[in-house]
Amino acid sequence: MSNIKDNIKRTLAYVNNYSARKQLKNRNFTIISNNCWGGFVSMDLGVPYNSPFVGLFLFAPDYIKLLKDLEGYMNSELAFTRDSRYKDKLIEDGLLGTYPIGLLKDVEIHFLHYKSEAEAKEKWERRTKRINWDNLYVKFCDRDLFTYDLLEEFDRLGYRKKVAFTAKPYDHIAASVQMKEFERETCVDNEGKVYKKYFNVVEWLNT
């Protein structure tokens, strides 16, 4: 049943994004993302998941830490833990114990859409091998313990292509793209479904 649903999703994505797929010239890229957004983009554009950052999320402090030494963390062994430094937040959101939590050294990877540690590890390791280190695109957003200081840190990182989706306007932050429909909210919600209204991802990838 899940394969049928996946095929239906891919078919709809193909139809709805036909023009964007035709315009895309850069097809061998890797998106590093703090949540599932890169997976949405890959599905919309009909390209492989050349990134392990699919079906998961990282809390904002851990994500910025990871980006500061991306190769070092990505070359470390993925382990798993039953505990989390974000336990209180997970309890508040009703998520504690509902999915595997991975560890890259001291950075937590929350495999929200994975049923088991074995599945998470297999897909993580397989997709990590596909990373195109010469063609990285980095995305952040204002969820999961986001702070303005972390946004400033993200903006200072040396990645050539990066974007941060935010509910509030941060005009002096070069990487920030405001999603105005969330302006009255605390953060952007499910940017994978609305990003095309505010951000030309094909232009970003082709440039």
Side-chain angles (χ1 to χ4, degrees):
M1 181 63 73
S2 61
N3 287 336
I4 294 174
K5 289 182 178 179
D6 287 344
N7 289 335
I8 291 173
K9 286 181 180 179
R10 291 184 183 279
T11 300
L12 290 174
Y14 180 85
V15 172
N16 293 334
N17 297 282
Y18 178 78
S19 177
R21 291 179 182 214
K22 293 289 286 185
Q23 295 173 41
L24 182 68
K25 297 180 176 65
N26 176 18
R27 304 188 68 82
N28 185 20
F29 58 85
T30 289
I31 292 178
I32 307 299
S33 176
N34 60 309
N35 60 13
C36 302
W37 181 75
F40 278 96
V41 172
S42 295
M43 183 176 291
D44 287 345
L45 297 178
V47 297
Y49 294 147
N50 292 334
S51 171
F53 293 86
V54 177
L56 54 81
F57 75 94
L58 288 82
F59 283 97
D62 275 14
Y63 184 60
I64 298 303
K65 185 188 298 184
L66 175 123
L67 291 179
K68 288 179 177 179
D69 182 22
L70 184 61
E71 288 197 58
Y73 279 106
M74 296 307 296
N75 287 326
S76 64
E77 182 75 16
L78 178 68
F80 289 90
T81 180
R82 300 291 182 182
D83 200 7
S84 170
R85 71 174 62 91
Y86 304 108
K87 181 178 179 179
D88 291 344
K89 176 62 174 169
L90 294 176
I91 292 173
E92 178 185 330
D93 294 341
L95 292 175
L96 186 66
T98 63
Y99 58 78
I101 300 175
L103 276 179
L104 292 180
K105 296 190 283 190
D106 59 344
V107 163
E108 295 183 13
I109 312 292
H110 291 256
F111 289 98
L112 181 63
H113 299 297
Y114 293 81
K115 297 178 181 177
S116 67
E117 293 179 3
E119 180 193 15
K121 186 176 181 66
E122 188 275 326
K123 291 187 177 180
W124 176 269
E125 292 180 346
R126 172 158 49 89
R127 291 167 178 167
T128 295
K129 293 175 183 176
R130 299 178 188 166
I131 292 176
N132 185 344
W133 289 100
D134 296 321
N135 201 13
L136 290 180
Y137 292 77
V138 181
K139 172 263 176 190
F140 187 34
C141 69
D142 58 356
R143 298 185 62 178
D144 303 312
L145 304 182
F146 164 92
T147 66
Y148 175 74
D149 287 344
L150 291 173
L151 179 62
E152 284 196 314
E153 286 191 64
F154 178 78
D155 201 49
R156 290 193 296 267
L157 293 173
Y159 296 97
R160 187 175 65 89
K161 301 291 285 188
K162 60 182 184 288
V163 64
F165 297 132
T166 60
K168 308 299 182 185
Y170 299 101
D171 295 336
H172 57 294
I173 300 291
S176 176
V177 172
Q178 183 192 13
M179 294 183 166
K180 292 185 178 179
E181 66 195 82
F182 303 111
E183 192 166 13
R184 297 179 181 274
E185 310 297 330
T186 56
C187 65
V188 167
D189 183 29
N190 204 347
E191 65 271 32
K193 293 186 177 180
V194 302
Y195 73 91
K196 285 173 280 189
K197 292 172 61 176
Y198 303 97
F199 186 66
N200 189 331
V201 73
V202 172
E203 182 178 291
W204 188 56
L205 293 169
N206 280 343
T207 303

